[in-house]
Amino acid sequence: MLVIDNIYKTFNPGTVNEKTALNGLSLTLEEGDFVTVIGGNGAGKSTMLNAIAGVWPVDGGSILIDGIDVTKLPEHKRAKYLGRVFQDPMTGTAASMEIQENLALAKRRGNCRRFYRTGITSEEKKEYYDLLETLGLGLEKRMTSKVGLLSGGQRQAVTLLMASLKKPKLLLLDEHTAALDPKTAAKVLETTDRIVNSNKLTTVMITHNMKDAIAHGNRLVMMMDGKIILDIKGEEKKQLTVTDLLRKFEIASGEEFASDKAILG
């Protein structure tokens, strides 16, 4: 489903600010994999997601999504394969538009003229009502409310629906609960699991919370210095604890795990 083969990315090459963010990174995901990604500051986690999304070109290597080589495709041409939810709840939705209008835009992505020509049909309203009802947040009764009036957790839940509405080849979650309080973050993660599992979406989720990285998905990878140093799956992941993960990191890297953003439990 996703094949990242030996990709490199250096920012500000040849200057005093030169930084190698991806250093021969390789990763293969099978269809339906839900991979959590963890690592210290500067490990390359978000850079990897931006490389997959085509935010900027990589310096070397290749990226294939569902067998299609997207390495040289610009961001807007990759968008049809991807769904993405960002850390900031304000990103990914149109604050001045209604909840149902945001969902309609996501559903008709690539055909905005149809949205303005026909508006939202009664069939679509029923579809969006049913989808919102699954969130358990009462938003199905607020479909005409402006998205800008929602709380951060409500907005992220709507963004998750929007990102998964057309069942993308790959769902990218870039620390999408980091800006939320613990109780709300747990609710959004519960919603994430339900959406990913019910749609059988191949998913990459970045998190700084080791407990969450262990509890969610069927596979966990840890990054350091722009490459993957741990890849844990199957029964080994099911039995994993935070203590185990820290010990494995120390063995793989030769040093203690240190990150001022990491949450151990």
Side-chain angles (χ1 to χ4, degrees), residues 5-61:
D5 185 19
N6 201 34
I7 61 172
Y8 290 82
K9 182 63 182 180
T10 298
F11 293 102
N12 306 309
T15 73
V16 294
N17 296 317
E18 180 174 312
K19 165 66 177 176
T20 299
L22 298 176
N23 188 19
L25 173 71
S26 293
L27 176 67
T28 298
L29 271 63
E30 302 298 330
E31 186 168 359
D33 269 348
F34 181 177
V35 180
T36 57
V37 182
I38 198 162
N41 296 337
K45 304 181 299 298
S46 290
T47 306
M48 177 182 69
L49 251 62
N50 283 327
I52 296 169
V55 175
W56 28 247
V58 295
D59 301 330

